[in-house]
Amino acid sequence: MNDQSVPVTQQEPTFRVRARHTESTITVYQAYRPEIGRAAARDGRFPASWKRDRMTWIKPSFLWMMYRCGWGTKEGQETVLAIEISREGFVWALRNACLSHFVADLHGDRVAWKRQLKQAPARVQWDPERDLRLDPLPYRSLQLGLAGEAAARYADEWIVGIEDVTPLATEIHGLVRAGALERAAGLLPEERAYAVEEAVPARLRA
């Protein structure tokens, strides 16, 4: 796997993973109701009430998470977590993932795709990246859905640390609402291009 980091530029390719990462970890985001999110941040692992039998979606993009949870204001998503996981786990999920939507040129026929989707422990979905006002940008942000074996590995093996970043989300949101976009941008987590071409083959970039 190529670990080289590539600076994000204005001319972004349509499909690229951008994330806060180190040589050994990558940070993803999720939002939960306080009784789950606060317990997870306190203990460094998800509590027993966390549903292992549901697909859980992780997002490397902080701003896409803000779009999804409304800066932590949506019901059931009031606690925003930054979850640092191992790069090995993240790559395992990508290599075992299926694209969440059907593409004829990639999958051949819908029956084959549905079979693959049902068997895969992870799903890849690409959604428009967001700016500070949460308006869509012309390039895509990765969402990675984990179920079954992938969800179990995520909860039990991949997590290195969990941080409650709700105060940060609230602070940035306040600056955006006040029109202080430059100050808000200065508080955003640094997300660099994450070179995983080998782990995200063409079959997942469509």
Side-chain angles (χ1 to χ4, degrees):
M1 175 180 167
N2 182 359
D3 289 341
Q4 181 181 3
S5 298
V6 183
V8 175
T9 65
Q10 290 184 345
Q11 294 185 344
E12 279 289 288
T14 302
F15 304 105
R16 172 186 273 175
V17 178
R18 293 166 299 276
R20 178 182 176 185
H21 58 87
T22 68
E23 291 184 357
S24 60
T25 65
I26 180 170
T27 297
V28 296
Y29 298 93
Q30 293 189 291
Y32 290 99
R33 61 182 188 273
E35 54 266 35
I36 290 181
R38 291 173 184 171
R42 182 189 65 232
D43 300 332
R45 63 181 185 276
F46 289 113
S49 56
W50 188 75
K51 301 295 185 182
R52 290 172 173 266
D53 58 345
R54 293 182 181 177
M55 179 164 287
T56 187
W57 290 88
I58 58 178
K59 300 101 175 163
S61 166
F62 179 83
L63 283 175
W64 203 95
M65 184 71 257
M66 295 306 100
Y67 167 73
R68 179 67 180 85
C69 71
W71 299 99
T73 63
K74 291 185 179 180
E75 184 177 358
Q77 301 185 63
E78 298 92 345
T79 303
V80 184
L81 301 178
I83 304 169
E84 193 176 15
I85 64 174
S86 70
R87 291 176 73 129
E88 290 83 358
F90 185 73
V91 170
W92 184 93
L94 289 173
R95 287 177 174 164
N96 289 276
C98 177
L99 198 62
S100 64
H101 64 278
F102 173 74
V103 178
D105 290 342
L106 295 177
H107 301 119
D109 63 80
R110 287 187 179 273
V111 173
W113 166 70
K114 287 183 178 179
R115 185 184 307 114
Q116 182 184 357
L117 189 67
K118 185 177 181 179
Q119 295 173 347
R123 296 181 183 182
V124 162
Q125 181 170 311
W126 298 94
D127 296 286
E129 180 60 286
R130 302 284 159 166
D131 63 16
L132 274 167
R133 297 189 185 278
L134 305 186
D135 292 327
L137 292 169
Y139 48 88
R140 301 276 170 162
S141 179
L142 176 79
Q143 280 198 81
L144 186 56
L146 309 175
E149 182 183 359
R153 285 174 177 256
Y154 172 59
D156 299 330
E157 301 175 15
W158 302 345
I159 294 176
V160 175
I162 302 178
E163 180 185 1
D164 182 350
V165 292
T166 312
L168 175 64
T170 301
E171 183 178 5
I172 295 175
H173 187 205
L175 290 171
V176 171
R177 293 178 66 184
L181 297 184
E182 186 173 346
R183 288 175 59 195
L187 295 178
L188 289 173
E190 181 184 0
E191 293 175 359
R192 297 170 292 141
Y194 184 74
V196 288
E197 285 80 6
E198 295 178 6
V200 188
R203 66 181 176 81
L204 296 178
R205 284 181 267 161

